[in-house]
Structure formats: C-alpha cells, structure tokens
Amino acid sequence: MEKYGIGQPVRRKEDARFITGAGTYIDDVAAENMAHAFVLRSPFAHAKILNIDTSEAENMPGVLGIITGQDWAAEGFATMPTKAAISKKIDGSPLNQPPRHCFAIDRARYIGEPVAVVIAETREQAQDAAELVEVDYEDLPAVIDARKALAEDTPRIWDNIEGNVCLDFELGDKDATEKAFANADHVVSLELVNNRVTAAPIEPRGAVAEYDATTDSYKLQNATQNVHANRTTFADVLKIDAESLHHLAPDVGGGFGAKNSSYPEPPILLYAAKKFGRPMKWVNDRNEGFQSDTHGRAQFSKVELALDKDGKFLGLRTRTVGDLGAYCWTNGPFTPTGGSARTQGGPYNIPAMYYSAVAAFTNTMPTDPYRGAGRPEASYQIERIVQHAADTLGFDPVELRRKNLMPTASLPRKTPMGLDVDSGDFPEVFDRTMKMTDREGYAERVANSKKNGMRRGFSIAPYLECSGGMPKEFAGISFTKDGTVTLRVGSHSTGMGHETSKPQILAHTLGVDFDRIDFIQADTKATPIGGGHGGSRSLEVGGAAVLKAANEMLDKAKVLAAHLLNSNADDMDFADGVFTDIKTEQTIAIDDVIAASFEQGRLPEGMEPGCLDTESIFEREIISCPNGAHAAEVEVDPETGAVRVEHYWVIDDFGPIVNPMLADGQVMGGVAQGLGQALMEEIVYDDDGQLVTGSFMDYALPRADSIPKMELGYYEDAPTAKNPLGVKGAGEAGCCASPPAIVNAVLDALKEDGVAHIDMPLTPEKVWRAISEAKK
Amino acid sequence: MIVLKERFVMYFRCTFPPATPALEFAAVMPVISLTVNGNPVTVDVEARALLSRVLRDQLDLTGTHVGCDTSQCGACVVHVDGKPVKSCTMLAVQADGENITTIEGLAKDGKLHPMQEAFRENHGLQCGFCTPGMIMTAVALADENPELDEMSVRKGLEGNLCRCTGYQNIIHAVLDGAKAMRS
Amino acid sequence: MYDFTYHRPETLADAEKMFADADDGQYIAGGQTMVPVMKQRLAMPSDIIDLERISDLKGISRDGNVLSIGAMTTHAEVAGSGDVAKAIPALARLADDIGDPAVRNRGTLGGSIANNDPAADYPAALVGLGATIHTTSREIPADDFFTGLFETALEEGEVIVKVSIPVPDKAGYVKFPQPASRFALVGVFVAQIGDSVRVAATGAGPCVFRVEAMEKALEKDFSASALKGISVPGEGLNNDIHASADYRASLISTLARRAVAAAE
C-alpha cells in the first residue's frame, strides 16, 4: 500500500491514454448524424449591427440554418449574469452590470463577439457559408485603455453606464494607512502595469450538444473546467430545468481559469441541437481562441510603501484600475477587487494597509480569473515596491525583505486585509531558498557575464497567496462485488492528475488496491454538486472531500467488521487496510469486509448489501495560505535587450505533499506561465481595437529553450488546520512568485545602467530602450 | 517558383473574413494511398483536406491533435517517411504514397515505446494535449541525434508548445527516452 | 481552406503546362507558408501544382567554388549537408535555425525565396553571398530578385530551378528571433569573397537589403571593430509591436558586428 500512499510520487493513471493518443478531448467526440456550427464573430471592437442578410449563405451547400442575434432575442432567452464574488460597490449598491446575451444583438462590443452562427453538415461548409453572411456594421469609436475609459469625455460602451465603471472597491483601514504614511521616514511609490495575457491552453475550446426530444433533455460535452456551475448558468439562459441538462467534460487539454468561464457558444449549441434535431459540434480554432477566450490580469496600479528610517515597513497603499473588457464576465469583477486585495502585502509584517480599485469597461475581450486571479498581481505589486524601496533608499534588497517578514511566532494572525494566516515559517522558507542560490559563486558569475559584455542580476521573491476556490465539494465512493471501487468527485482535473492523486488518498486511507479504483469526474449525473477547478482548490477541498468520504465509509465498515468478528465496534482498530479487535487480536482485511457487505446473510441488522457506499460533502471554512520564496538569476544582453533566466530556485510551503511529482509539475508549470507574463506575453489591441496578437505568430508563449532549469524544494512542517489533509493549494503559487522574481532580477542587473523600472513584459526592445533612455 | 497572387501580411494579424465569396467547386475527390502505422489504406479526400484532418476524421486516429492554425504548437506532429512533420501544415494529397506513423503506431505488440514510457515515468505531461506531438518530435530527435544533451533537447523541441509543464520534465523524459532507445 | 484541384507533376514541363492551363494556378513547394495562408483563407487558387516530385529541382552539389542547391531542397537537407557545412558553414547553421525541426523537413529554399517574407532568413543569405537564382527561363542575381514586400522578380508561371552560390572566404549570420514566430526580427548575413564584402539585413525592412556603409568599412578591415560608429537610419524600417524601426536599426549594427565576429 505504501507505494501508493500519501507522499509517494505515484505515476499517473491517466497517462496510459495520453501517451498513446487514446485520450478523448472535445474534438475527438463525435455523435451520430452530428452537424457542425461555425461562429461568425464581430471583426469590430465597437459597432452597431444595422442588418444581417443571411439569404445567400443559407443557400450554400450543406447549410442547415443560420442563427443571428435577432433570432436569439426573439426566443426570449435570458442573459448570462456575472457570478462575481464581489458584487457590490463601496456604497453598497449593486455593481453596474450590462446585459450579456449569447450574441451581440444590435451592437458588437468586442472583437470576437458572436454575431451569427452557421449550422452545416461540415465545419468547412459552415465556414464557407459564414463568409457570405452579410453584416451591415456601423463602426463606433472603441475604448481600449481602461484608464482612459474612466475619463469624462470618453464615449460610453453601455449607454446607461456612466463613466464606463462597473464598480469601485476598497479594503483595509484607510485612516490608519494615511497615518502610517504621514509618520513615515520614507515613502516610495511606483506605477505598475500588469499586462493583459491569455491562458492559451493548447486545446482550444469546443463542445458537442445533443437533444433528446422524447425526454426533452440535453447532453452537453464541453471542454470546461466546471460542469456544475456552468450547467446552472446555461440552463438559466435557456430557461430550462438544470436537471434536464447532463453536462460533462471529456479529457480537457488545460484550462488555467479560462475554461471556468461561462461562454456563449455552449448554450447556442444546445439551442441549435434542439432546433435542428441534430447533435451539434463546435470547436474553436486558435485564432478564435485569442479573440474569444477570456483574458487575464490587465490591471494598472499605483503602489506606495511607507517605511521608517531603518527600513521597517509601516504602511502599504494600492490603487488599481482593472480592465474588465466589454462585460462583467463570470467572475471578472472579482479579480481587480477582492481577488487582488486579500493578499496585499504578501508575507510581510505591514501594520496598515489600504487597497482601493475601480473596474472599468473597455471594447476588448472580457477578463476573468486566470491562474492566480489577483494574487499574482498583489505579489507583483508588493515585490516591485519593496525592490524599488531598496534600490532608491539604499537598503540591501535581500536584507530588507528578510527583516520585514512576518515573524513565525506572530502566527496565527490576521493581516490588515483580513487574511487568516494560520501556518508557515516565512523566515525559514526564505533562508532555505537563499541557501540554494549559491551566493558564494555569484560574484564570479557576475564577472563572467561582464567579461562577455552582459549584465547579471538576482532577486528573491517571497510570496504569500491564498487558495481554496469554491468552498464545497463532493466525493462518492461505491463498491462492487468484484472488488472494483469507484470514486466520483465534483472537482475537476484539466491536467493536474486527479485521476491519480484522489485515488491515492483513497488507497492510503482505506488500504484498498490503488489499481482497482475507477475515477469519475466532471459529470453532473455522477455527482450531485461540484466546484470544478479553480483557486487551487482541488486537493485542499476536493481531496478533503475524498478523505471525509473515506473516513465515513470506514466508520460503517468498522461496524460491519466488528459484526463479522463477533466483536464490538468500539474495540476495532484500523490500520493498513486491516481491522483488528484490540482485545482479541482477531483481524479482518478491508477487502473481506467489502466482500461481506454484498452478502445479506453476513450483515448485521440495519445494514443492506451495498451499505458501504458513501457520499460525502466537505466544506472548508477558511481559505488556506500557500507561501514560499522563489529566486531568479538572469543575464541581460544590453546591446539587444535580450533576457535569459539562467537559474530558478524554489521553496514552497503547501503543507504536507501528497504526490511530490505532481506538486513539482504544478510549480514548474506556474513558474513558466509567470515567466511568460514577465518576459514575453501580452495581448495587444491597437487604438482601433483590432487584436494585434491574434495568433501564436504574435503572442509569444515560452518554449522549451525559454525556461531555465528549476530547482524545487518543499517546506512541509507547517500544515494548515483549515482542512484535514493540512494542505495548501499548489496550482497558482508559481505564477505568483515568478514574475516579480524575474523582473526584479532584471532590474537588479540594470541597476548600474540607472534603469529603475520597466513594465511587463520585459521584451528585448523595452529593455534596450530603458537602457538607452537611462543613458541620456 | 511560388507566385503568390494574394499577399498576406494580414496572415500575421487577426484576420477579417475576406470579402471575396467562397467558390463552389465540382468535387472531384482525389484518392490517396498511405501506409499508416504499418497498415496500407486508401482513402478519398478533399484536395483541401489537411493530413491532420484525414488522420483524425477519416482514419479515426484522434491522437494527433490540432492546437493552432499557424504551425506553431506542434501538437499535430507525425512522422512522414520517418521524419517529423506538422500534419496540420501538409495537405493529405501531398502525403500520397508515404509511410505515416502517428502516436497510435508507436507502441508495438502492446508494449509502449521507450519514449512513451519515459514521458510517463518523468511526469513529462499534464493535460496530455501536446503530448502526442511532443513524443513524436522527441522520438525523431533521439533517432537523429545519438548524443543528446539538455541544450539540444531544448532546441529540438522549439516547435512544440506545452502550457502545463514548464518543459523541465519533458526534457528529462526525452533524455531518458533517448537513452532507453539506444539500449 | 477553399477547395482547389491538386496536381503533382513529375517534370518541369508538365508543371508549367498545368500552371498555364489553370484559371488561377499556384505552385506549392514545401507548403510551410502556403498551407497556413490557405488555411486562413487568404489565398484562393483554383489549382495547386505541387513541385515536390520533380527530381530536377532537388539536390546539392559543389562545382569548384560554386555551390548549387536545388529549389526543392528542404531546410533540413541544407542544414545536414556535408557539402554546405564545408563550403559555407554559416548557411548550414542558418538553415538549421529556420522554423523548427518539423518545418525544416518540409520547407524548401525555393519556396522561401519565392515567398520573400520580409523576415525570412534565406533572402539574407542569398543577397549576402551574391547568389544567382536560376529559373525555368533565366538567371537572376539575388540583388535583383528580391524586389519588395513579398515581391520577387519572378514572372507569372516562372519556376525557380536552383540557386548557385559562390563559396566565400568567410561568412557569418546572426539572427535575433521575434519571440513569438521565431522569424528574424532582424538577421544580418555578412560574407567576404576576395576583396569584396557583402552585408545583407533581413527582417528589418519590407525586403532584404544591403548595408553599403558596412560593406565598405569591412572591405578595408574585416573585423567587428571596423563597424564601430556605423549605424543604419531607422527611417523606412519595419515598425510593429515586436520592434520599432530605431530598435531594428540598432539591432542591425549589433548583429552585423556579431556576424563578422562569428564569420568563418
């Protein structure tokens, strides 16, 4: 059993299909007599739709029909409201929410917004016909920059929303913070752009919808990371009973938050499946993905830090303008407000903090939580301002950080932002990371770089984030006579390996054979509720649900075991899959207890065959606080501005590690995405609202040769009490820590050139230009 | 030799649907013969059908994935005559007469190819979507270079995007797989 | 992609006839640009004439001080050729750095130069080496071949057969890749043949061009330091989200120095 126990690097079950090409992703799903949908999207950022003429397109070969915004409106379907966790303005009134229909009906407000959907026998035929749909647009001025959106003379994106404002927000103690600033010896401030990026999972979005007229029910297979929440949303839009919609996800090729969002295409597809009486398939191509997958980050902040003369932090004040795009998407308004506010100040002991934000509409693809959803922004803000304080005030940046960390003895504590920090040892984690970084050899490496005309820089970035996502999760365990165990969960793996880690918890707890555990996820019929994936929740909430179900099952099994051994349930001990009567030392293996549970004659009164099947719901109360310290060493070519990350070091505190192999994977993937944001990724719209980065030819993703060797380690001595596994989410830590670690290392390298700040992404030209301008 | 009638600076950009109407063609379906994973097949294809589409839709070999439209991601890599090729950037008719190996053809007699083993053993995949193309590229890389090291693997994977792993475990997998292929 | 009629001739004569007979014919070489362009529905040929099976268009040979490369030779074949590596190692390395391994197995020299993408590598090499492009009807010096953005001297229906390249004393190529596409943001090819030096820049302008001031300086002294102080004006250079014109101008100077230093 120990081979598959908690803490073991168990190899993944799901890999058996992925490495042989036997996975089933959405584009691999087919249904009999399936028709294909192609979405005609707005080529304008902002335009009135005066008329749509579909007559020529309808006569094209293979075309079954065309659905336009007007058709959709005529059906009276509901809008798709935001489910944002922050829904009120500072004055308590609800946020300004524009109506989000599945189509642009009389006005298109971002490039990529669905204008019409063509249904045909093949995708090619649907696309051929879509080119003949004549849409009469009247171009309107587009608002692209969120900061400008708020200006008085800027045109309104929504006629009834003044100033293009969705909501304002504040958290923390404003007065105390102002006082701290007034009494400070030093105040430093910095304006930061957190660049708009896209998740770009390598699998594009898509779905297959079916309608059964005999039962008036629907089946939707969808490349989503959240079947339950989206089922409710889609059913509400279509005004159907959610129970009549069976929503499930096949293998999903990455999500990173963007597949959590509720998109317009699946409800359109469900509608089309019923209207045309055929299963319907739609799969985006990458070009469409850039336009129509939700984007992330897109924040503009002013950060101020108050210090005393010794460098002790006294106060932190942050003011952010968040870019929501054209609508309040699923949880979009949360990111620049609550999402970014909670972890302000990171792991530092800052007595007074105040965060305020305003979220603005622009004529761009809406933003929604992307890996980290506000915490990477907060982490970037605090680490940049701390580095800036060190550089401008003459403190050693490592020492300044070290001495301001929350002392271990001060935990548990609540930060001024209300974050409940119950566990951790920030100074210890910080020191362990520093130890990995080979400080002794650094001077020589700097000298070698210099000899080659290069610059070298280093920075450490301690971080504190919070994880948990949706608080409630389901786990169900069922047994069959032949010994198969089936585990059903409401959490959802889109690559994280739950098919392995969840059975690992079950095998470890019950002592049943890991290989005999079947795993079902992302299926609304198999699970009554589910939170899908988001907020690094799947282990701390989903794993805890599995543990809870397993323990509840054990309670029942104990009664049965006692009955089978003619002993008392209170005398039963359980370890390594074996029940032992502590008085008689008689034993019975769990497999035998499970087998007996199917034989009526062997059951005590009140127990029925199948009685060990257990369904359980775990609900966590408080989010947990993953933390750690990452460090980066970079080399910069001052002549070209090219940056190479040479080394990357990590110590993370995620509590006890269930599967170190999977944890490593989460960290490295997160670091790589953060590196992408720091150095190369940016969604760019031009002033007319054209999407300039519409393909991988212009939007740079990190490749194998962009990433340094990463050295990882874990601090496991501070489990959290917030969940029974003691774990803290691992999925988003990497991209919280790596942007500031890398950016600060680059700026450290350019200190001698007099470069104080460069906004992400630190592209070669920006670095080169900063050096050139500093020379002037 | 190529005289492009259409200039395509716009190819690099987010594109508008062209104003020109789609043409209707008398469908004369070319018939092509391929050897796919050792099996000879003859298949009617549209001239415009990409190799990736024919493999996936007509031959039901859905292990070959398509993750982009600009030949960047490499999820679609298959071997044509033993060499890695982006099957989304090749017309099926261009493959007429060729020997094709896809991810489904790597394992022999129920035994995984050493590179497949190495990806699993090194956790060289997460969501698995880029994996088939990654493995096909890796097998060819190992075939062609007896002396692989970390740098050459990183360069050899320049045409394959992975968004999940940060590549480090993929690199370990390729090095291990290559070693196992030699022994 | 729009549909079309596909042809696969085995001789040049057949290819030219098919082209002439087509309403709107289009040759295809390795297809590494043509196929994506058609996928994006930016080209709509009635007929595609595939040159891959024409054996006259393939192969690499060296005759004295001239290296000949058939138009349908793939980047991988150029990169892996012992003849190329021996005669012009910079050209072998350039080919080995185009696209990625899969692209190099399909993409061809002829396809690349006929397309004349402003950020392609081969135009820099051919202009930098003073190569000659042989077509079905004539021989065109590289200097006259690349005429503008995606424009060449090729006439309707004309097919590139091969290029002949004088073997230089020394040549070097340094490319600074655009981070997303990995095409050349700027690439500079330098070559010294006898007393003459050529410097060709790609990626920087709408079409590959020579940098005469650098050539003159290097003819006097073929060393990186000879280029000190010589800059290229940013005016007229490409300006996009990846690089402004003045940054590209600066890269030309930097990469030229590095190409000279790397020349062998």
Side-chain angles (χ1 to χ4, degrees):
Chain A
M1 185 201 90
E2 263 320 299
K3 189 179 162 201
Y4 298 112
I6 289 177
Q8 296 302 309
V10 177
R11 300 302 184 263
R12 302 202 318 172
K13 284 189 168 188
E14 46 269 72
D15 289 359
R17 39 178 208 283
F18 295 159
I19 57 178
T20 53
T24 303
Y25 299 87
I26 194 62
D27 201 18
D28 308 336
V29 173
E32 207 171 319
N33 200 29
M34 186 168 74
H36 295 259
F38 180 81
V39 183
L40 181 67
R41 300 177 182 280
S42 171
F44 294 102
H46 199 187
K48 271 190 193 155
I49 299 170
L50 302 176
N51 186 48
I52 301 181
D53 181 354
T54 59
S55 52
E56 206 183 333
E58 273 163 7
N59 290 321
M60 286 290 285
V63 172
L64 302 176
I66 296 170
I67 307 161
T68 66
Q70 290 298 342
D71 300 333
W72 189 260
E75 295 283 350
F77 293 132
T79 56
M80 216 181 255
T82 184
K83 306 275 171 83
I86 300 287
S87 58
K88 289 188 176 122
K89 298 184 212 161
I90 293 173
D91 65 11
S93 62
L95 54 76
N96 297 327
Q97 175 159 210
R100 173 154 81 93
H101 292 282
C102 292
F103 283 88
I105 292 172
D106 48 14
R107 206 156 130 187
R109 290 179 172 84
Y110 65 89
I111 282 182
E113 188 166 14
V115 169
V117 168
V118 182
I119 312 292
E121 296 293 342
T122 70
R123 189 185 193 277
E124 291 281 1
Q125 287 175 331
Q127 194 177 358
D128 286 347
E131 289 183 7
L132 299 182
V133 174
E134 270 182 46
V135 186
D136 193 1
Y137 292 103
E138 181 188 319
D139 207 0
L140 295 171
V143 180
I144 300 305
D145 186 313
R147 293 162 296 187
K148 285 186 198 152
L150 300 169
E152 248 175 48
D153 54 350
T154 301
R156 285 187 191 181
I157 296 168
W158 295 96
D159 292 339
N160 59 346
I161 297 179
E162 206 179 319
N164 295 318
V165 172
C166 174
L167 81 164
D168 56 6
F169 174 87
E170 64 176 355
L171 190 70
D173 190 331
K174 191 177 182 184
D175 294 340
T177 306
E178 267 170 26
K179 219 163 157 190
F181 274 81
N183 295 331
D185 295 307
H186 304 290
V187 171
V188 287
S189 84
L190 203 53
E191 295 204 0
L192 299 172
V193 177
N194 212 286
N195 39 327
R196 178 183 276 251
V197 293
T198 185
I202 304 300
E203 180 202 33
R205 291 187 299 114
V208 175
E210 294 167 72
Y211 174 71
D212 181 351
T214 56
T215 55
D216 189 25
S217 63
Y218 298 83
K219 179 178 173 188
L220 178 66
Q221 299 183 76
N222 185 11
T224 179
Q225 57 187 85
N226 196 333
V227 290
H228 282 278
N230 276 311
R231 176 176 69 158
T232 308
T233 302
F234 298 157
D236 288 350
V237 165
L238 296 171
K239 300 185 172 171
I240 59 172
D241 179 7
E243 288 300 319
S244 73
L245 172 54
H246 180 199
H247 194 194
L248 60 171
D251 289 323
V252 177
F256 316 113
K259 285 182 183 162
N260 235 327
S261 307
S262 299
Y263 290 96
E265 296 92 345
I268 296 172
L269 221 58
L270 289 163
Y271 166 72
K274 181 175 179 183
K275 182 179 162 82
F276 296 98
R278 304 263 302 264
M280 288 288 156
K281 181 173 191 173
W282 142 81
V283 177
N284 260 357
D285 64 23
R286 178 60 55 185
N287 190 321
E288 293 179 276
F290 274 103
Q291 298 176 26
S292 70
D293 292 357
T294 49
H295 295 159
R297 313 287 188 256
Q299 294 188 18
F300 306 87
S301 302
K302 183 178 180 190
V303 191
E304 298 166 284
L305 181 68
L307 307 89
D308 75 6
K309 61 180 185 339
D310 302 321
K312 201 174 138 216
F313 300 162
L314 303 175
L316 178 71
R317 189 161 56 197
T318 308
R319 168 77 181 165
T320 289
V321 175
D323 179 357
L324 294 188
Y327 294 88
C328 301
W329 212 265
T330 311
N331 197 9
F334 172 71
T335 307
T337 58
S340 298
R342 291 175 302 179
T343 54
Q344 284 289 311
Y348 299 111
N349 181 27
I350 307 179
M353 287 196 262
Y354 176 67
Y355 180 88
S356 65
V358 57
F361 295 112
T362 58
N363 289 113
T364 61
M365 179 63 213
T367 54
D368 228 7
Y370 161 60
R371 202 171 196 168
R375 289 107 70 199
E377 291 91 322
S379 172
Y380 184 67
Q381 287 153 7
I382 184 65
E383 283 308 313
R384 279 297 298 122
I385 195 68
V386 168
Q387 182 79 21
H388 191 62
D391 290 348
T392 52
L393 303 175
F395 294 107
D396 177 88
V398 173
E399 281 313 304
L400 184 67
R401 287 186 169 93
R402 177 69 171 77
K403 77 173 171 197
N404 278 290
L405 291 170
M406 293 182 204
T408 312
S410 73
L411 306 187
R413 69 191 285 175
K414 255 196 178 162
T415 72
M417 292 319 213
L419 188 68
D420 197 321
V421 186
D422 72 330
S423 59
D425 188 341
F426 308 141
E428 173 64 21
V429 166
F430 188 94
D431 291 345
R432 285 195 193 181
T433 302
M434 282 306 294
K435 255 187 223 136
M436 292 167 89
T437 63
D438 181 28
R439 291 299 78 203
E440 299 74 31
Y442 184 62
E444 195 186 325
R445 296 197 293 277
V446 170
N448 278 338
S449 294
K450 220 159 222 174
K451 215 163 45 195
N452 299 321
M454 309 293 253
R455 309 267 188 281
R456 186 170 283 261
F458 167 85
S459 185
I460 185 166
Y463 72 92
L464 171 71
E465 60 129 346
C466 58
S467 63
M470 299 279 279
K472 237 186 206 178
E473 197 47 271
F474 167 85
I477 311 166
S478 50
F479 304 89
T480 58
K481 270 184 199 168
D482 69 2
T484 305
V485 183
T486 303
L487 175 61
R488 290 166 291 128
V489 299
S491 56
H492 186 182
S493 172
T494 55
M496 297 79 83
H498 299 170
E499 204 168 322
T500 305
S501 60
K502 302 273 162 70
Q504 210 180 328
I505 294 168
L506 196 62
H508 179 88
T509 312
L510 299 185
V512 295
D513 183 0
F514 174 79
D515 291 324
R516 263 177 25 213
I517 303 173
D518 285 344
F519 181 74
I520 297 173
Q521 64 165 13
D523 183 337
T524 56
K525 266 195 181 156
T527 54
I529 65 153
H533 188 69
S536 300
R537 67 187 294 278
S538 287
L539 191 56
E540 68 177 88
V541 184
V546 174
L547 186 65
K548 183 165 181 240
N551 283 328
E552 287 172 7
M553 178 269 173
L554 277 181
D555 288 343
K556 290 189 276 184
K558 199 177 270 185
V559 173
L560 178 51
H563 176 75
L564 294 169
L565 293 178
N566 282 323
S567 38
N568 207 323
D570 293 340
D571 296 335
M572 300 303 296
D573 192 19
F574 179 74
D576 297 336
V578 178
F579 291 95
T580 307
D581 184 321
I582 46 172
K583 288 192 179 137
T584 66
E585 291 186 1
Q586 277 185 291
T587 63
I588 182 167
I590 190 158
D591 288 342
D592 296 331
V593 176
I594 293 168
S597 77
F598 289 97
E599 295 173 39
Q600 180 75 69
R602 299 180 69 188
L603 296 175
E605 211 171 305
M607 279 190 166
E608 294 296 322
C611 58
L612 296 182
D613 289 359
T614 305
E615 294 196 340
S616 199
I617 288 173
F618 171 79
E619 186 167 6
R620 64 126 175 91
E621 285 173 18
I622 314 165
I623 50 178
S624 75
C625 296
N627 63 87
H630 292 204
E633 195 169 305
V634 303
E635 194 173 66
V636 183
D637 179 344
E639 287 188 324
T640 63
V643 173
R644 266 208 72 77
V645 183
E646 296 275 330
H647 300 283
Y648 199 90
W649 301 278
V650 175
I651 295 288
D652 284 318
D653 169 6
F654 302 143
I657 302 294
V658 171
N659 183 327
M661 185 186 82
L662 299 185
D664 284 359
Q666 286 302 306
V667 175
M668 293 190 289
V671 168
Q673 281 183 15
L675 180 148
Q677 183 179 18
L679 299 181
M680 57 187 86
E681 294 183 36
E682 185 171 33
I683 289 283
V684 179
Y685 289 93
D686 69 14
D687 291 342
D688 298 328
Q690 268 306 317
L691 177 61
V692 183
T693 49
S695 79
F696 285 139
M697 297 287 281
D698 284 302
Y699 187 90
L701 283 196
R703 305 192 192 212
D705 59 4
S706 329
I707 309 282
K709 188 168 160 37
M710 297 171 255
E711 287 175 52
L712 314 183
Y714 300 100
Y715 179 79
E716 296 189 72
D717 299 337
T720 178
K722 293 169 183 173
N723 65 70
L725 287 165
V727 297
K728 315 170 194 184
E732 293 155 296
C735 63
C736 287
S738 69
I742 292 165
V743 171
N744 284 332
V746 173
L747 292 166
D748 180 55
L750 301 181
K751 224 165 154 181
E752 60 182 277
D753 297 285
V755 175
H757 176 66
I758 309 172
D759 275 319
M760 296 190 291
L762 273 60
T763 60
E765 169 156 19
K766 278 203 214 163
V767 171
W768 170 83
R769 192 166 293 285
I771 297 170
S772 315
E773 273 165 18
K775 265 188 205 155
K776 283 180 192 165
Chain B
M1 111 198 58
I2 295 174
V3 187
L4 284 181
K5 297 289 186 316
E6 306 282 328
R7 297 301 170 202
F8 41 84
V9 187
M10 286 299 285
Y11 161 44
F12 296 101
R13 302 286 173 250
C14 162
T15 51
F16 290 91
T20 42
L23 294 181
E24 284 181 53
F25 286 97
V28 185
M29 297 271 269
V31 180
I32 60 169
S33 298
L34 308 167
T35 303
V36 181
N37 299 330
N39 305 311
V41 292
T42 300
V43 55
D44 290 356
V45 299
E46 281 191 297
R48 64 174 166 175
L50 298 167
L51 178 58
S52 53
R53 204 149 188 82
V54 169
L55 290 170
R56 290 178 48 78
D57 295 354
Q58 294 181 254
L59 302 178
D60 206 24
L61 293 168
T62 56
T64 297
H65 297 154
V66 176
C68 78
D69 0 280
T70 52
S71 317
Q72 303 283 312
C73 82
C76 67
V77 169
V78 301
H79 292 183
V80 175
D81 197 19
K83 290 183 187 140
V85 156
K86 291 188 166 168
S87 64
C88 80
T89 313
M90 182 172 184
L91 301 169
V93 286
Q94 291 180 292
D96 189 13
E98 300 281 6
N99 199 337
I100 315 267
T101 307
T102 70
I103 186 72
E104 290 92 342
L106 271 191
K108 292 273 184 300
D109 307 323
K111 196 170 178 298
L112 289 177
H113 186 281
M115 194 59 80
Q116 291 172 311
E117 277 292 3
F119 267 71
R120 180 187 165 111
E121 195 53 32
N122 287 279
H123 190 32
L125 64 153
Q126 288 183 28
C127 82
F129 195 78
C130 75
T131 308
M134 203 62 90
I135 291 178
M136 296 310 287
T137 301
V139 168
L141 189 65
D143 273 339
E144 288 164 18
N145 305 275
E147 297 290 315
L148 279 178
D149 60 10
E150 187 191 323
M151 285 306 286
S152 52
V153 173
R154 287 188 190 272
K155 168 146 169 70
L157 297 177
E158 65 188 329
N160 293 77
L161 294 173
C162 169
R163 193 56 157 162
C164 295
T165 64
Y167 300 100
Q168 185 152 311
N169 284 345
I170 293 178
I171 289 149
H172 292 160
V174 177
L175 289 169
D176 271 11
K179 206 193 273 174
M181 279 166 67
R182 283 197 300 275
S183 62
Chain C
M1 200 184 295
Y2 304 106
D3 214 352
F4 48 80
T5 305
Y6 175 78
H7 310 268
R8 187 147 76 176
E10 295 192 353
T11 67
L12 263 174
D14 284 353
E16 289 184 285
K17 182 165 185 323
M18 285 162 181
F19 187 92
D21 291 347
D23 283 342
D24 185 6
Q26 172 71 62
Y27 294 118
I28 190 167
Q32 298 305 284
T33 300
M34 197 60 223
V35 173
V37 164
M38 291 195 297
K39 271 191 336 194
Q40 304 271 323
R41 298 184 163 224
L42 296 170
M44 199 170 43
S46 64
D47 294 72
I48 285 281
I49 300 138
D50 189 346
L51 303 175
E52 193 171 1
R53 291 290 159 96
I54 303 175
S55 50
D56 289 354
L57 300 180
K58 288 190 179 167
I60 298 169
S61 61
R62 182 174 176 172
D63 184 5
N65 265 345
V66 177
L67 187 71
S68 289
I69 304 178
M72 287 299 292
T73 308
T74 64
H75 310 324
E77 287 162 352
V78 173
S81 156
D83 277 343
V84 177
K86 205 168 155 213
I88 319 173
L91 184 64
R93 274 199 298 273
L94 173 148
D96 195 40
D97 220 18
I98 298 174
D100 58 60
V103 167
R104 292 194 286 274
N105 282 329
R106 295 287 304 160
T108 64
L109 170 65
S112 169
I113 62 173
N115 184 32
N116 193 20
D117 189 303
D121 299 296
Y122 271 130
L126 298 201
V127 171
L129 289 162
T132 302
I133 291 95
H134 301 249
T135 76
T136 37
S137 53
R138 57 190 167 136
E139 294 179 7
I140 311 169
D143 284 346
D144 301 332
F145 182 85
F146 302 102
T147 54
L149 182 73
F150 293 110
E151 297 278 356
T152 68
L154 288 174
E155 300 286 347
E156 181 92 1
E158 191 175 2
V159 178
I160 301 167
V161 176
K162 64 170 185 177
V163 299
S164 57
I165 307 171
V167 174
D169 302 331
K170 269 183 171 184
Y173 179 66
V174 178
K175 155 161 123 177
F176 192 82
Q178 193 258 55
S181 70
R182 303 249 168 147
F183 272 80
L185 198 58
V186 173
V188 179
F189 200 102
V190 297
Q192 185 184 37
I193 308 179
D195 296 337
S196 139
V197 171
R198 281 171 166 259
V199 178
T202 188
C207 181
V208 60
F209 62 89
R210 289 171 62 182
V211 188
E212 280 175 31
M214 290 184 177
E215 292 179 351
K216 277 187 189 141
L218 291 170
E219 278 170 3
K220 283 186 199 138
D221 171 17
F222 193 81
S223 73
S225 57
L227 294 175
K228 212 171 181 188
I230 302 178
S231 60
V232 174
E235 209 172 302
L237 297 187
N238 298 339
N239 197 352
D240 56 40
I241 56 162
H242 302 291
S244 62
D246 58 336
Y247 176 57
R248 279 191 162 92
S250 156
L251 280 178
I252 293 174
S253 300
T254 302
L255 302 185
R257 284 197 303 276
R258 292 181 184 183
V260 170
E264 55 176 328

